[in-house]
Amino acid sequence: MAYRHIYTSESVSEGHPDKLADQISDAILDAVFIQDPMARVAIETMVGHGFAVVSGELSTHNAYVDVAQLVRQTIKDVGYVSTDLGFDGGTCGVMVAIHEQSRDIAMGVDRGGAGDQGMMFGLATTETLELMPLPIAVAHALTRRSASIRREKPSLGLRPDAKSQVSVTYENGMPVEINTIVLSQQHSPDVENSIRDIVRAEVIDPVLAEYSKFVKGDITFHINPTGRFVTGGPEGDTGLTGRKIIVDTYGGLCPHGGGAFSGKDPTKVDRSAAYMARHIAKCVVAAGLAEKAQIGLAYAIGVEQPVSVNVETFGTESIDLQTIADRIKNNFDMSPAGIIKHLDLRRPIYLPTAKNGHFGNASFPWEDTNPAAALKS
């Protein structure tokens, strides 16, 4: 008898306050890396009604960034350009409290060790072309489409903040059909009576057309279920860097070690090792060694090599699991320095990761599957 169950994942738009905070943190990281690729950066941001606070650690030899100006520009680039929208990047207050990285931490990092302890996980699955789980792939597609249509058609009255949630029916571990879609879209007061029709026609239906294979029965739609979403962004809710870690990864279909990504340079394995775990998992699937692969890595602060490397293929492997694990260890250097070199991470590539998840975008280096050839034999 077939086992049927439902998996649900969510995404939030670039105008969501937590994602806005992530983008500010990564914009600062990119700006520093343009001038000093060897800098140590760990930036946290909080945004609220009319203000932004930036704190954390920054150690650099020659980089200078006008943090307040960059914060305001990032906010405006997202679309918050007027108090009528609830937030104005041009007039908001910005408080900056940044200091150097602890010398105690730096000692371990300087000799090639991890910048912190922790567990990191990566996942790849044949459910979608980008080898991502279907629920999070569709959820991201909805918020990405929301941002695109808002910019292309300002007359529709869409505003920057939005949230999506997608529930998918699985049968024996594989997706069968999309079951429920939730989408809450911030809007101007002028379109309150028509916002549901606008969102359905301009955002949801075009995305479902991309995933028509999984549109089989009646889908339940909850569009702006409270009835009104005019107050949004930092006016409606405080935003913090790193508060959407499951949105950033696999939508709950994979464990998460707990460490956030945004604002951190790649010596922080919270970020770089999670990217490497995804890269390895994707190469395993691309090589045909499994239909689904999950890689788990764990590190000790100041120690070069991971203290554990775990491989899980959920019974979908085409060869012995130990052989897969051995091939991974023989072909990938999982030290922080090895990861940084292999994925070329000391460059300003991070702001785009803070918008629609850190995985599934073919332009990110950890999505490359060329090394899969080495895993086949």
Side-chain angles (χ1 to χ4, degrees):
M1 182 177 179
Y3 171 56
R4 292 172 67 92
H5 58 286
I6 295 175
Y7 274 128
T8 301
S9 296
E10 70 162 341
S11 180
V12 297
S13 73
E14 62 182 28
H16 186 280
D18 293 328
K19 276 289 123 192
L20 183 60
D22 285 343
Q23 289 167 81
I24 291 170
S25 295
D26 274 335
I28 294 170
L29 172 61
D30 281 352
V32 171
F33 263 16
I34 289 172
Q35 302 172 62
D36 182 7
M38 301 303 293
R40 305 275 174 78
V41 185
I43 297 297
E44 309 284 351
T45 303
M46 178 174 71
V47 293
H49 192 178
F51 72 90
V53 178
V54 180
S55 186
E57 298 80 53
L58 171 59
S59 297
T60 177
H61 295 293
N62 56 9
Y64 171 76
V65 176
D66 186 336
V67 173
Q69 190 277 333
L70 183 57
V71 168
R72 292 191 174 97
Q73 188 59 53
T74 304
I75 293 169
K76 290 190 288 185
D77 288 346
V78 168
Y80 289 115
V81 296
S82 168
T83 54
D84 292 339
L85 301 176
F87 204 49
D88 183 356
T91 62
C92 70
V94 180
M95 177 180 176
V96 181
I98 296 175
H99 57 87
E100 276 192 317
Q101 182 185 65
S102 163
R103 295 187 182 276
D104 294 347
I105 295 175
M107 287 173 59
V109 178
D110 289 343
R111 60 175 181 257
D116 203 352
Q117 68 180 39
M119 303 160 288
M120 298 84 209
F121 297 90
L123 179 71
T125 171
T126 56
E127 293 177 22
T128 60
L129 291 176
E130 61 269 41
L131 303 186
M132 287 289 286
L134 181 64
I136 193 70
V138 179
H140 283 324
L142 289 167
T143 53
R144 188 165 51 244
R145 174 78 181 176
S146 165
S148 175
I149 288 298
R150 171 175 58 84
R151 296 176 188 277
E152 292 174 13
K153 300 180 179 180
S155 62
L156 293 178
L158 305 186
R159 290 183 172 179
D161 198 355
K163 299 178 72 172
S164 68
Q165 184 172 282
V166 176
S167 299
V168 173
T169 301
Y170 279 69
E171 187 172 291
N172 294 332
M174 292 301 294
V176 175
E177 61 181 347
I178 297 172
N179 178 281
T180 304
I181 289 179
V182 183
L183 204 153
S184 297
Q185 174 69 60
Q186 187 190 15
H187 59 87
S188 71
D190 300 338
V191 298
E192 182 175 343
N193 294 327
S194 58
I195 186 62
R196 288 188 174 94
D197 292 336
I198 293 171
V199 168
R200 177 68 188 269
E202 298 286 347
V203 179
I204 295 177
D205 286 349
V207 169
L208 288 179
E210 298 176 27
Y211 294 93
S212 57
K213 172 184 175 181
F214 300 100
V215 180
K216 297 179 179 179
D218 291 334
I219 298 174
T220 300
F221 296 98
H222 298 289
I223 303 171
N224 282 29
T226 66
R228 177 182 169 89
F229 188 8
V230 173
T231 302
E235 181 187 25
D237 192 11
T238 302
L240 295 170
T241 297
R243 198 155 60 178
K244 286 291 179 284
I245 56 176
I246 300 303
V247 170
D248 286 341
T249 54
Y250 307 99
L253 275 79
C254 178
H256 196 294
F261 300 156
S262 290
K264 297 177 180 177
D265 76 79
T267 66
K268 281 73 175 175
V269 286
D270 280 338
R271 181 170 218 161
S272 56
Y275 291 168
M276 191 64 165
R278 161 66 175 173
H279 177 61
I280 295 171
K282 196 172 180 185
C283 287
V284 168
V285 173
L289 305 185
E291 294 181 10
K292 183 177 181 180
Q294 177 181 289
I295 306 299
L297 305 176
Y299 292 81
I301 187 168
V303 178
E304 184 176 2
Q305 292 294 333
V307 297
S308 67
V309 178
N310 292 309
V311 183
E312 172 61 70
T313 52
F314 307 96
T316 68
E317 66 274 7
S318 60
I319 63 173
D320 179 69
L321 191 57
Q322 185 61 57
T323 301
I324 298 175
D326 291 341
R327 291 183 186 180
I328 289 171
K329 293 176 183 177
N330 290 335
N331 284 280
F332 294 99
D333 181 355
M334 289 169 277
S335 68
I339 293 170
I340 291 169
K341 180 179 179 180
H342 180 71
L343 299 178
D344 193 12
L345 296 180
R346 291 193 182 277
R347 51 196 175 110
I349 58 173
Y350 296 102
L351 178 56
T353 68
K355 295 192 176 186
N356 286 283
H358 292 245
F359 307 114
N361 184 329
S363 68
F364 298 154
W366 45 91
E367 296 295 312
D368 176 40
T369 57
N370 284 331
L375 294 178
K376 291 183 178 180
S377 61

